[in-house]
Amino acid sequence: MRTRFAPSPTGDLHIGGVRTALFNYLLAKQQKGVFILRVEDTDVERSTQASIDVIMQGMTWLGLQWDEGPIHQMDRLDRYREISDELVASGHAYRCDCSPERLTLIREQQLLKKQKTRYDGQCRSRNIDASTPHVVRFKTPLEGDITFHDLIRGDITINNAELDDVVLVRQDGVPTYNFSVVVDDTDMKVTHVIRGDDHINNTPRQINIYNALGWNIPNYAHLPMILGGDGKRLSKRHGATNVLDYQKMGYLPAAVLNYLVRLGWSHGDQEIFTMQDMINDFDLKHISHSAAAINQEKLDWLNQHYMKELPSDELATLAKPFFENEGYDLSQGPDLNELVVLYVERAKTLAEMAKQCAYFYQTPDVDPEAADKLQTELAPKVLEEAKKQFSALEDWNPEAIKATIKSICEALGFKMGQVGPVLRVAITGTMKSPALDQTLCLLGKEKVLVRLM
């Protein structure tokens, strides 16, 4: 088995594309096959090196390592020219010198008549010299059907009368998508073409080209699209779509891959999949025919699961850049290994964890929603007694701190529900923090006493 991921470097690496890459990768690895990365960069005006870099970075971050490539289509122009010349010579393609103005006029007339817009075939029977500026068009059969078996959707039939004489090579010598992929997939011996269902209408056009060349046709599988949570086509209004945005937000590669494999595919009721699980269990027959919808809560749940599975030192290493991005001086805070363990149950991403830990490195501003805890008559008494007892505490550990808080309550005749919130807000600036004894221990005695002033 030989599969390929063939993104166009005209923008970000979106999660829909990453899911396609993942499915191709899994099938290749499952069958001890080859996974190819091909950069379809024939859209010269829109393709950029920055987008190519994003593709490489995203694939590398996720661990989807290709076996062959990256292969760039723009490095293969001579090969496309060779095959287009062959198609012209065999009568399966022809040169067309129709002007853009004529093509526009044809289209406008067809629209007025409520006809399907298509090339009218004027140059089909003309023998245009190669020295004349021209495009190369494929001579689509005027009759008959194209039927192919989709490994997800079953048999699909399209009548040739519905198809156009597509352009194979533009006037500048650059091939179009439908032509270049046929040549590439054949030269690269691709056995399975797994791509989005927006390409279903392209498949019969490509099969006609395969047939004209006498080449073997690969297996096709068209994946349903990914929708936003509102059921509409996924776009930036739904949040992050570029896979590197997920990296910046502090999601783990294992969580993103686990999340994507379950977008439109299932294996019983299983939700958690390691990479080896995916390779072992993935198949095309359990891919849904319906579009899959983004579920941010599921991704957050998976990411927290994988964070909790990591050893503390590994989690701390991954979290460190996010803490540094917040501007924290890590030398002025607690041991990061201990801190991430304290917060892994409270944070869904590494970036969220770093933000939640601000008060360990900076004097906090009191959350306006919690400020009333410091405005009560008992608050000054609690802070004064706490400073007195914590100053006298020699063993600064969670057990001793917990016992001291209990002692503060007893000394004042207050309940824990009255004392705890005052201490929490005064020391952390918020009502949202882990257990007080653990939090105060990691903060350190010096910082605690300063904030009780």
Side-chain angles (χ1 to χ4, degrees):
M1 179 178 287
R2 292 173 64 86
T3 67
R4 46 75 159 179
F5 176 51
S8 298
T10 55
D12 294 334
L13 178 58
H14 287 214
I15 59 172
V18 174
R19 185 188 64 167
T20 299
L22 174 61
F23 286 5
N24 278 280
Y25 176 88
L26 294 176
L27 283 176
K29 296 306 168 185
Q30 186 182 83
Q31 301 298 320
K32 305 289 191 294
V34 174
F35 175 57
I36 303 164
L37 176 61
R38 184 171 74 224
V39 179
E40 298 192 340
D41 53 359
T42 55
D43 188 343
V44 179
E45 291 185 0
R46 297 174 60 217
S47 296
T48 66
Q49 184 60 47
S51 291
I52 294 174
D53 293 342
V54 166
I55 291 168
M56 303 302 174
Q57 292 166 14
M59 296 284 283
T60 300
W61 176 61
L62 291 169
L64 299 179
Q65 183 58 48
W66 51 93
D67 302 303
E68 294 181 8
I71 299 165
H72 294 260
Q73 288 185 325
M74 288 301 290
D75 293 337
R76 292 170 44 79
L77 295 185
D78 289 344
R79 175 60 172 161
Y80 305 130
R81 187 175 301 110
E82 173 191 351
I83 301 303
S84 69
D85 288 346
E86 181 181 323
L87 285 168
V88 171
S90 66
H92 290 101
Y94 58 94
R95 301 183 187 98
C96 171
D97 64 357
C98 290
S99 67
E101 292 77 17
R102 180 179 186 276
L103 296 175
T104 299
L105 180 61
I106 293 171
R107 177 180 176 84
E108 290 174 348
Q109 291 174 342
Q110 290 170 338
L111 288 172
L112 283 173
K113 297 176 182 179
K114 297 184 178 179
Q115 297 174 343
K116 182 170 183 171
T117 57
R118 56 191 299 144
Y119 179 62
D120 64 356
Q122 174 172 289
C123 293
R124 261 187 172 238
S125 57
R126 298 174 63 204
N127 187 19
I128 296 170
D129 190 85
S131 62
T132 302
H134 65 275
V135 301
V136 177
R137 289 184 180 273
F138 183 72
K139 190 178 289 185
T140 300
L142 299 177
E143 299 177 345
D145 296 327
I146 290 293
T147 296
F148 66 96
H149 181 74
D150 187 285
L151 296 174
I152 296 173
R153 300 166 183 273
D155 290 342
I156 297 175
T157 298
I158 296 179
N159 192 283
N160 279 319
E162 296 295 316
L163 305 179
D164 200 359
D165 282 4
V166 295
V167 173
L168 302 181
V169 181
R170 303 181 184 94
Q171 189 170 315
D172 61 4
V174 177
T176 59
Y177 170 77
N178 281 309
F179 180 48
S180 60
V181 298
V182 169
V183 178
D184 291 342
D185 287 341
T186 298
D187 287 355
M188 297 167 199
K189 298 180 173 59
V190 172
T191 61
H192 292 70
V193 174
I194 304 162
R195 58 190 180 186
D197 61 7
D198 54 329
H199 286 293
I200 286 179
N201 289 335
N202 288 324
T203 304
R205 296 180 170 91
Q206 293 165 19
I207 290 176
N208 273 328
I209 299 172
Y210 276 109
N211 289 336
L213 290 164
W215 289 350
N216 292 329
I217 300 169
N219 296 286
Y220 287 100
H222 291 92
L223 307 172
M225 69 172 61
I226 299 176
L227 303 177
D230 56 3
K232 297 181 180 179
R233 191 179 185 91
L234 189 63
S235 67
K236 290 184 178 180
R237 72 175 180 273
H238 295 109
T241 55
N242 179 3
V243 69
L244 291 181
D245 287 341
Y246 288 93
Q247 181 187 28
K248 294 173 185 175
M249 290 189 294
Y251 288 94
L252 303 181
V256 174
L257 291 173
N258 192 154
Y259 176 67
L260 289 178
V261 82
R262 287 287 286 109
L263 277 178
W265 176 80
S266 62
H267 182 68
D269 295 328
Q270 187 172 343
E271 292 289 350
I272 304 297
F273 292 87
T274 65
M275 176 55 79
Q276 193 58 53
D277 290 336
M278 296 183 214
I279 292 173
N280 293 341
D281 299 334
F282 185 76
D283 56 26
L284 293 172
K285 65 183 180 181
H286 287 124
I287 291 178
S288 171
H289 294 191
S290 303
I294 288 291
N295 184 334
Q296 188 65 42
E297 291 181 0
K298 175 64 72 66
L299 175 58
D300 289 343
W301 175 79
L302 282 167
N303 199 63
Q304 188 176 53
H305 165 81
Y306 281 101
M307 286 168 58
K308 287 158 67 174
E309 291 288 302
L310 290 174
S312 61
D313 57 342
E314 187 174 341
L315 180 59
T317 298
L318 292 173
K320 185 178 178 181
F322 293 89
F323 280 69
E324 292 173 337
N325 286 343
E326 292 295 326
Y328 305 152
D329 181 353
L330 299 187
S331 67
Q332 300 302 308
D335 184 292
L336 198 55
N337 285 16
E338 296 182 39
L339 189 54
V340 296
V341 170
L342 184 63
Y343 264 85
V344 73
E345 295 282 353
R346 308 180 69 86
K348 297 179 179 66
T349 69
L350 296 173
E352 182 183 39
M353 178 185 288
K355 290 183 183 299
Q356 290 177 350
C357 291
Y359 62 84
F360 285 94
Y361 304 94
Q362 304 165 352
T363 301
D365 295 324
V366 176
D367 184 342
E369 295 183 3
D372 63 316
K373 302 298 180 183
L374 301 179
Q375 306 303 320
T376 63
E377 292 184 8
L378 63 86
K381 298 177 182 179
V382 170
L383 298 179
E384 183 178 353
E385 184 65 24
K387 184 178 181 182
K388 171 186 172 183
Q389 294 208 29
F390 281 138
S391 296
L393 184 61
E394 295 183 2
D395 296 324
W396 196 259
N397 59 62
E399 294 77 13
I401 293 170
K402 185 175 183 178
T404 301
I405 296 174
K406 183 178 179 181
S407 176
I408 294 169
C409 293
E410 292 172 349
L412 296 173
F414 297 151
K415 296 180 179 179
M416 180 61 75
Q418 296 171 293
V419 171
V422 174
L423 293 178
R424 193 182 302 276
V425 174
I427 295 169
T428 70
T430 177
M431 282 294 294
K432 300 173 182 178
S433 73
L436 263 180
D437 52 355
Q438 296 175 307
T439 301
L440 270 56
C441 180
L442 287 184
L443 264 170
K445 184 175 180 178
E446 182 178 343
K447 286 182 180 177
V448 169
L449 293 177
V450 168
R451 295 178 189 181
L452 289 173
M453 290 289 194

Coordinates of all heavy atoms in Angstrom, one line a residue, residues 269-302:
D269 N -17.0 1.5 21.2 CA -17.2 2.7 22.1 C -15.9 3.3 22.6 O -15.9 4.2 23.4 CB -18.0 2.2 23.3 CG -19.4 1.8 23.0 OD1 -20.0 2.4 22.0 OD2 -19.9 0.9 23.6
Q270 N -14.8 2.8 22.0 CA -13.5 3.3 22.5 C -13.3 4.8 22.1 O -13.6 5.2 21.1 CB -12.4 2.5 21.8 CG -11.0 2.8 22.3 CD -9.9 1.8 21.8 OE1 -10.3 0.7 21.2 NE2 -8.7 2.1 21.8
E271 N -12.7 5.5 23.1 CA -12.5 6.9 22.9 C -11.0 7.3 22.9 O -10.5 8.2 22.3 CB -13.2 7.8 24.0 CG -14.7 7.8 23.9 CD -15.2 8.5 22.7 OE1 -14.4 9.3 22.1 OE2 -16.4 8.4 22.4
I272 N -10.2 6.5 23.8 CA -8.8 6.8 23.9 C -8.0 5.9 23.0 O -8.1 4.7 23.1 CB -8.3 6.6 25.4 CG1 -9.1 7.5 26.3 CG2 -6.8 6.9 25.5 CD1 -9.0 8.9 26.1
F273 N -7.2 6.5 22.1 CA -6.4 5.7 21.2 C -4.9 6.2 21.2 O -4.7 7.4 20.9 CB -6.9 5.9 19.7 CG -8.2 5.3 19.5 CD1 -9.4 6.0 19.8 CD2 -8.3 4.0 19.0 CE1 -10.6 5.4 19.5 CE2 -9.6 3.4 18.8 CZ -10.7 4.1 19.0
T274 N -4.0 5.3 21.5 CA -2.6 5.6 21.3 C -2.3 5.5 19.8 O -3.1 5.0 19.0 CB -1.7 4.6 22.0 OG1 -1.9 3.3 21.5 CG2 -2.0 4.6 23.5
M275 N -1.2 6.0 19.4 CA -0.8 5.9 18.0 C -0.8 4.4 17.5 O -1.3 4.1 16.4 CB 0.5 6.6 17.7 CG 1.0 6.4 16.3 SD -0.2 7.0 15.0 CE 0.2 8.8 15.1
Q276 N -0.3 3.6 18.4 CA -0.3 2.1 18.0 C -1.7 1.6 17.9 O -2.0 0.8 17.0 CB 0.6 1.3 19.0 CG 0.9 -0.1 18.5 CD 1.6 -0.1 17.1 OE1 2.7 0.6 17.0 NE2 1.1 -0.8 16.1
D277 N -2.6 2.0 18.8 CA -4.0 1.6 18.7 C -4.6 2.0 17.4 O -5.3 1.3 16.7 CB -4.8 2.3 19.8 CG -4.5 1.7 21.2 OD1 -4.0 0.5 21.3 OD2 -4.7 2.4 22.2
M278 N -4.3 3.3 17.0 CA -4.8 3.8 15.7 C -4.3 2.9 14.5 O -5.1 2.5 13.6 CB -4.4 5.2 15.5 CG -5.0 6.2 16.5 SD -4.5 7.9 16.0 CE -4.3 8.6 17.7
I279 N -3.1 2.6 14.5 CA -2.5 1.9 13.4 C -3.1 0.5 13.4 O -3.4 -0.1 12.3 CB -0.9 1.8 13.6 CG1 -0.3 3.2 13.4 CG2 -0.4 0.7 12.6 CD1 1.2 3.2 13.7
N280 N -3.3 -0.1 14.6 CA -3.8 -1.5 14.6 C -5.3 -1.5 14.2 O -5.8 -2.5 13.6 CB -3.7 -2.1 16.0 CG -2.3 -2.3 16.4 OD1 -1.4 -2.4 15.6 ND2 -2.0 -2.4 17.7
D281 N -6.1 -0.5 14.6 CA -7.5 -0.6 14.6 C -8.2 0.1 13.4 O -9.3 -0.1 13.0 CB -8.2 -0.1 15.9 CG -7.8 -0.9 17.1 OD1 -7.4 -2.1 16.9 OD2 -7.8 -0.4 18.2
F282 N -7.5 1.1 12.8 CA -8.1 1.9 11.8 C -8.5 1.2 10.6 O -7.8 0.3 10.1 CB -7.2 3.1 11.4 CG -7.8 4.1 10.5 CD1 -8.7 5.0 11.0 CD2 -7.6 4.0 9.1 CE1 -9.4 5.9 10.1 CE2 -8.2 4.9 8.3 CZ -9.1 5.9 8.8
D283 N -9.7 1.5 10.1 CA -10.1 1.0 8.8 C -11.1 2.0 8.1 O -11.5 2.9 8.8 CB -10.8 -0.4 8.9 CG -12.0 -0.3 9.9 OD1 -12.6 0.8 10.1 OD2 -12.4 -1.4 10.5
L284 N -11.3 1.8 6.8 CA -12.2 2.7 6.1 C -13.6 2.4 6.2 O -14.5 3.3 6.1 CB -11.8 2.7 4.6 CG -10.4 3.3 4.3 CD1 -10.1 3.0 2.8 CD2 -10.3 4.8 4.6
K285 N -14.0 1.1 6.5 CA -15.4 0.7 6.6 C -16.2 1.3 7.7 O -17.4 1.4 7.7 CB -15.5 -0.8 6.6 CG -15.0 -1.5 7.9 CD -15.1 -3.0 7.7 CE -14.5 -3.6 9.0 NZ -14.6 -5.1 8.9
H286 N -15.5 1.8 8.7 CA -16.2 2.4 9.9 C -16.1 4.0 9.8 O -16.4 4.6 10.8 CB -15.6 1.9 11.2 CG -16.0 0.5 11.5 ND1 -15.1 -0.5 11.7 CD2 -17.2 -0.1 11.5 CE1 -15.7 -1.6 11.9 NE2 -17.0 -1.4 11.8
I287 N -15.8 4.5 8.7 CA -15.9 6.0 8.5 C -17.3 6.3 8.2 O -18.0 5.7 7.3 CB -14.9 6.5 7.4 CG1 -13.5 6.3 7.8 CG2 -15.2 7.9 7.1 CD1 -12.5 6.7 6.8
S288 N -17.9 7.3 8.9 CA -19.2 7.7 8.6 C -19.4 8.4 7.3 O -18.5 9.0 6.8 CB -19.7 8.7 9.7 OG -20.9 9.3 9.4
H289 N -20.6 8.3 6.7 CA -20.8 9.0 5.4 C -21.2 10.4 5.7 O -21.2 11.3 4.8 CB -22.0 8.3 4.7 CG -21.6 6.9 4.2 ND1 -22.4 6.2 3.3 CD2 -20.6 6.1 4.5 CE1 -21.9 5.0 3.1 NE2 -20.8 5.0 3.8
S290 N -21.5 10.7 6.9 CA -22.0 12.1 7.3 C -20.8 13.0 7.7 O -19.8 12.5 8.2 CB -23.0 12.0 8.4 OG -24.1 11.2 8.0
A291 N -21.0 14.3 7.6 CA -20.0 15.2 8.0 C -19.8 15.1 9.5 O -20.7 14.9 10.3 CB -20.4 16.6 7.6
A292 N -18.6 15.3 10.0 CA -18.3 15.3 11.4 C -18.2 16.8 11.9 O -17.7 17.7 11.2 CB -16.9 14.6 11.7
A293 N -18.7 17.0 13.2 CA -18.7 18.3 13.7 C -17.7 18.4 14.8 O -17.4 17.5 15.6 CB -20.1 18.6 14.3
I294 N -17.0 19.6 14.9 CA -16.1 19.9 15.9 C -16.7 19.9 17.3 O -17.8 20.4 17.5 CB -15.4 21.3 15.6 CG1 -14.5 21.3 14.4 CG2 -14.7 21.8 16.8 CD1 -13.2 20.5 14.6
N295 N -16.0 19.3 18.2 CA -16.5 19.3 19.6 C -15.3 19.7 20.5 O -14.5 18.9 20.9 CB -17.0 17.9 20.0 CG -17.6 17.8 21.4 OD1 -17.3 18.6 22.3 ND2 -18.5 16.9 21.6
Q296 N -15.3 21.0 20.9 CA -14.2 21.5 21.6 C -14.1 20.9 23.0 O -13.0 20.7 23.5 CB -14.3 23.1 21.8 CG -13.1 23.7 22.4 CD -11.9 23.7 21.5 OE1 -12.0 23.8 20.3 NE2 -10.8 23.4 22.1
E297 N -15.2 20.6 23.6 CA -15.2 19.9 24.9 C -14.5 18.6 24.9 O -13.8 18.2 25.8 CB -16.6 19.8 25.5 CG -17.2 21.1 25.9 CD -18.6 21.0 26.4 OE1 -19.1 19.8 26.5 OE2 -19.3 22.0 26.8
K298 N -14.7 17.8 23.8 CA -14.1 16.5 23.7 C -12.5 16.7 23.5 O -11.8 15.9 24.2 CB -14.6 15.8 22.5 CG -14.0 14.5 22.1 CD -14.1 13.4 23.2 CE -15.6 12.9 23.3 NZ -16.0 12.2 22.1
L299 N -12.1 17.7 22.8 CA -10.7 17.9 22.6 C -10.1 18.3 24.0 O -9.0 17.8 24.3 CB -10.4 19.0 21.6 CG -9.0 19.4 21.4 CD1 -8.1 18.2 21.0 CD2 -8.8 20.5 20.3
D300 N -10.7 19.2 24.7 CA -10.2 19.6 26.0 C -10.1 18.4 27.0 O -9.1 18.3 27.7 CB -11.1 20.7 26.6 CG -11.0 22.0 25.9 OD1 -10.0 22.2 25.1 OD2 -11.9 22.8 26.1
W301 N -11.1 17.5 26.9 CA -11.1 16.4 27.8 C -10.0 15.4 27.5 O -9.3 14.9 28.3 CB -12.5 15.6 27.7 CG -12.5 14.4 28.4 CD1 -12.8 14.2 29.8 CD2 -12.4 13.0 27.9 NE1 -12.7 12.9 30.1 CE2 -12.5 12.1 29.0 CE3 -12.1 12.5 26.6 CZ2 -12.4 10.8 28.8 CZ3 -12.0 11.2 26.5 CH2 -12.1 10.3 27.5
L302 N -9.8 15.2 26.2 CA -8.7 14.3 25.7 C -7.3 14.9 26.1 O -6.4 14.2 26.6 CB -8.8 14.1 24.2 CG -9.8 13.1 23.7 CD1 -10.0 13.3 22.2 CD2 -9.4 11.7 24.1

